[in-house]
Amino acid sequence: MRWSNYYLMTAREAPRDAEVVSHQLMARAGLVRRLAAGIYTMQPAGWRTMRKLMAIVRREMERAGAVELSMPAIQPAELWEESGRWFKYGAELLRMEDRHGRRFCFGPTHEEVITDLVRRDVKSYRQMPLNLFQIQTKFRDEIRPRFGLMRGREFIMKDAYSFDADEEGLDRSYQAMYDAYSRIFEACGLEYSVVEADQGAIGGSSSHEFMVLADTGESAIASCAACGYGANVERAEVGTLAQPAEGGGNAGGDGPRRVSTPGATTVAEVAGMLEVDRTLVVKTLIYETDDGLAAVAIRGDREVNEVKLLNVLGGLGLRLASAEQVAEATGGPLGFSGPVGLSPEVRLVVDESARALADFVCGANAGDEHLVSVRWDRDVAGARPLEWVDVMTAEAADPCPRCSAGQLRISRGIEVGHIFKLGTAYSESMNCTFTDEQGRLRPAEMGCYGLGIGRTAAAAIEQGHDDDGIVWPVPLAPFTVVLSSLDPGDEAVRSAADGLYEELEAALAPGGFDVLYDDRRERPGVKFKDGDLVGFPVRVVVGARSLRAGGAEVSNRQDGEREVVPLDGVPQAVLSRL
RNA sequence: CGGGGCGUAGCUCAGCCUGGUAGAGCGCACGGUUCGGGACCGUGAGGCCGGAGGUUCAAAUCCUCUCGCCCCGACCA
């Protein structure tokens, strides 16, 4: 491709709304253009990167036995009502009506459509296993789209769905996708890790996320270097916590004592006023759930993980209760709640972090008062059975939940892939059944597997850039090589560059590599800056000076290492750098 | 949805407080000088100042409404 005929316009400055580096560079390099909040045009060079990524994804999906198809983006409401998600999915589901008043949505994902398809076609265990995938535009009406392609509303996703006759089959299909995803991110040259994940709105029994490691990632990951445990912090478990402090002066006694704690509404204030360690205070939060109010007790130095809590309590969502609701549940004002004497209407769950506590401090459910010397068995369990749960947020240096030696480390990542074992959740609700070997009717065991195309490209930039611009991994660069002719007016240079261009195209094509020939009538500085900005992995420069030095200059974007090689040696020199 | 901010040339922004004929840099076009890391000089094109309404002799500027965009938050008792 000749740049003079191509559509690739760079800019010195990024648009004001570009916040993260991948978005700024994609905009400056002329790869994407924002059309509306969270909605982008892929300009030609950006689309080339997407196409290369999609080719890698296709190759590995097919290698793993998946079969490509294409499903509609617009989907009828009835299907979503059948699965129960028309209401459950919430406001992220973009809904619309046609001229007859029939209701549709723009598909955020395709479980309903694929399940509907397969239930009509697949009737026997002999037709399975099956794995179907597509690469297609999705729409999710995010509350707050941001960060360019990282969290768009309209985005391109590879989604795959597996159907198996039994759980063992699902395990095999899941593992095949796990391996395929690993090969994909490997092939892209990305540094990634695989972690256990929360299932969220999709539902199902187990899942893993593929995270590209980057400090700007929106996801927090807890991992253990000793045993390899890794999980999204939304889900991460924690080993048994040490209980560093003793009850001190509050130990013993026949029961809880009321103490005055005027104005102390936070754990830190209470601990300071009573001169006890924060780990000896039990924090009690009141939540509003789909089933009424619930109280969560947790050790004072710990934070509640609302994703875990939602999984424990069930329902679609939860929020911290208002002051009025707290008064209804506890009889006291906000800031003085405790597990003793809660309204019997209120469900109480207690985090494991507070289990080892005896003679602890907690709110008295009365203004400006706390209780000291409280015990679970004697003072709380009498009124109600205790429900021990894990709803704490993992923190750095927490003990590993899987091995005795390790400590958790918290890092950040960009979620580029997510695989789920769905089990029979959809096949049951949508009646996707088959006849097994014994002639019985059974629901199919399903899995689903998503991979964000645009987000992976953005993640590659987050991981690969410097002050001058993008540093693409070779497989994802819009063009592998940029050939810059510095003196297009000079006949010797022009013919040398023209010749090189043809030779390079021929030499690179078999490996799937490509060349952008910068034949524009621009000054050298502009060509260098543009090449660095767009991030072509290898640069070949031909100019009057390089010809005098014996040929063309070949260099790498990544480390800038350059050499002058004779013209006929250029293709080989380029290939050796890929 | 709550809070904050911003909409002026293709891009980044000034002008607004204190109303009086629309500005800069980059980019673009043309001419000249340059030519290995975003050149310089000159000339020029390009704007219903997001939209509607109001106040005023007069509105980019003041007021009201509206649309769009961005950021933070939607959290700890």
Side-chain angles (χ1 to χ4, degrees):
Chain A
M1 183 64 66
R2 286 172 181 264
W3 198 322
S4 61
N5 295 329
Y6 197 52
Y7 189 99
L8 176 51
M9 290 76 169
T10 61
R12 281 174 194 256
E13 289 175 282
R16 191 176 33 174
D17 57 16
E19 194 71 13
V20 295
V21 67
S22 59
H23 185 195
Q24 292 168 347
L25 290 176
M26 277 184 158
R28 284 190 55 208
L31 305 183
V32 300
R33 171 89 97 237
R34 193 184 65 82
L35 181 64
I39 301 178
Y40 291 84
T41 295
M42 308 288 154
Q43 291 169 281
W47 185 240
R48 282 184 83 93
T49 287
M50 303 290 165
R51 284 177 46 180
K52 288 189 174 182
L53 176 53
M54 289 188 278
I56 292 170
V57 170
R58 278 202 175 88
R59 182 185 78 210
E60 294 302 335
M61 292 306 290
E62 289 177 348
R63 184 169 157 195
V67 177
E68 185 167 0
L69 82 170
S70 178
M71 291 181 272
I74 306 291
Q75 309 175 7
E78 295 78 56
L79 269 185
W80 284 74
E81 286 170 341
E82 198 179 340
S83 72
R85 287 206 292 182
W86 183 257
F87 297 106
K88 192 175 174 183
Y89 212 96
E92 275 187 31
L93 187 63
L94 179 66
R95 297 151 214 259
M96 61 196 104
E97 285 188 1
D98 70 8
R99 63 171 69 195
H100 305 293
R102 296 196 189 106
R103 295 164 304 140
F104 291 86
C105 63
F106 198 110
T109 170
H110 280 65
E111 282 81 9
E112 280 78 3
V113 178
I114 195 82
T115 305
D116 179 63
L117 179 78
V118 168
R119 71 181 168 185
R120 294 169 194 277
D121 288 334
V122 174
K123 296 295 171 199
S124 160
Y125 73 96
R126 294 178 189 228
Q127 291 168 287
M128 292 189 280
L130 268 181
N131 191 334
L132 298 164
F133 80 99
Q134 63 175 349
I135 298 177
Q136 192 232 25
T137 298
K138 310 281 189 235
F139 194 94
R140 294 182 187 172
D141 200 356
E142 296 275 353
I143 307 173
R144 185 142 88 84
R146 55 180 141 178
F147 304 152
L149 294 193
M150 286 258 255
R151 179 170 293 280
R153 293 195 292 170
E154 183 179 302
F155 58 98
I156 299 174
M157 174 169 148
K158 187 286 300 173
D159 46 327
Y161 306 89
S162 68
F163 294 82
D164 280 279
D166 51 36
E167 284 186 42
E168 294 70 44
L170 172 56
D171 289 345
R172 281 192 296 275
S173 294
Y174 188 83
Q175 188 61 44
M177 285 296 103
Y178 188 109
D179 296 340
Y181 274 43
S182 301
R183 287 196 301 266
I184 288 167
F185 296 118
E186 204 86 36
C188 290
L190 297 172
E191 198 187 327
Y192 71 99
S193 76
V194 191
V195 301
E196 296 178 11
D198 183 72
Q199 279 77 254
I202 306 269
S205 60
S206 82
S207 77
H208 286 89
E209 285 168 337
F210 288 73
M211 297 281 192
V212 166
L213 302 176
D215 293 337
T216 51
E218 288 192 277
S219 306
I221 304 162
S223 57
C224 170
C227 70
Y229 174 75
N232 192 312
V233 165
E234 288 180 345
R235 173 196 166 90
E237 300 161 44
V238 175
T240 304
L241 296 178
Q243 179 57 45
E246 292 295 324
N250 297 310
D254 298 330
R257 298 194 311 277
R258 272 170 191 274
V259 294
S260 172
T261 51
T265 61
T266 68
V267 169
E269 288 163 359
V270 171
M273 197 172 287
L274 299 180
E275 295 183 338
V276 298
D277 194 87
R278 294 197 321 160
T279 60
L280 286 170
V281 178
V282 166
K283 178 162 74 179
T284 306
L285 310 178
I286 311 298
Y287 278 90
E288 178 189 353
T289 76
D290 294 356
D291 288 329
L293 298 177
V296 186
I298 189 168
R299 204 172 78 178
D301 61 322
R302 285 283 156 170
E303 303 297 331
V304 168
N305 180 329
E306 292 191 350
V307 175
K308 285 184 177 181
L309 181 63
L310 182 60
N311 287 335
V312 166
L313 297 178
L316 294 179
L318 45 79
R319 62 196 323 190
L320 282 171
S322 65
E324 293 71 34
Q325 289 172 313
V326 170
E328 179 192 327
T330 70
L334 206 64
F336 296 92
S337 302
V340 182
L342 286 174
S343 158
E345 304 288 305
V346 177
R347 180 174 172 189
L348 171 67
V349 297
V350 186
D351 186 74
E352 289 287 349
S353 60
R355 189 166 199 148
L357 295 182
D359 299 320
F360 57 80
V361 177
C362 65
N365 295 323
D368 294 337
E369 285 186 352
H370 277 75
L371 298 179
V372 299
S373 301
V374 183
R375 295 187 178 189
W376 292 115
D377 49 359
R378 181 189 63 202
D379 304 320
V380 184
R384 57 170 76 229
L386 281 178
E387 239 186 297
W388 296 101
V389 296
D390 169 19
V391 294
M392 81 179 104
T393 302
E395 294 172 8
D398 276 349
C400 174
R402 294 294 148 76
C403 70
S404 52
Q407 285 195 336
L408 293 181
R409 192 182 50 200
I410 307 291
S411 46
R412 301 200 72 81
I414 300 162
E415 180 195 343
V416 289
H418 199 161
I419 60 177
F420 299 84
K421 282 184 193 174
L422 294 173
T424 57
Y426 291 89
S427 49
E428 272 177 39
S429 66
M430 295 185 62
N431 204 31
C432 176
T433 56
F434 67 96
T435 310
D436 71 7
E437 237 168 318
Q438 279 77 42
R440 292 174 306 208
L441 216 50
R442 296 181 53 176
E445 293 283 343
M446 291 174 58
C448 76
Y449 317 92
L451 191 156
I453 300 294
R455 189 182 281 187
T456 299
I461 295 175
E462 291 291 334
Q463 218 171 61
H465 67 269
D466 60 20
D467 290 345
D468 292 320
I470 301 170
V471 183
W472 284 112
V474 170
L476 298 186
F479 292 89
T480 324
V481 178
V482 62
L483 168 64
S484 293
S485 168
L486 294 194
D487 303 287
D490 180 325
E491 180 53 33
V493 171
R494 201 184 55 77
S495 72
D498 283 357
L500 254 189
Y501 171 51
E502 293 195 8
E503 280 179 46
L504 274 171
E505 284 228 305
L508 292 174
F513 303 121
D514 37 29
V515 193
L516 183 63
Y517 178 17
D518 191 352
D519 59 341
R520 296 175 301 168
R521 295 175 42 164
E522 292 287 352
R523 294 166 54 83
V526 173
K527 297 191 177 193
F528 291 139
K529 288 287 184 189
D530 278 349
D532 288 348
L533 175 60
V534 183
F536 309 105
V538 175
R539 186 179 76 194
V540 178
V541 176
V542 186
R545 186 195 287 188
S546 79
L547 288 180
R548 281 198 300 277
E553 178 190 285
V554 181
S555 62
N556 288 346
R557 173 69 178 86
Q558 182 147 24
D559 54 23
E561 186 223 317
R562 51 176 88 176
E563 59 178 334
V564 175
V565 299
L567 291 181
D568 58 4
V570 168
Q572 197 48 49
V574 169
L575 282 170
S576 73
R577 289 166 184 263
L578 299 174

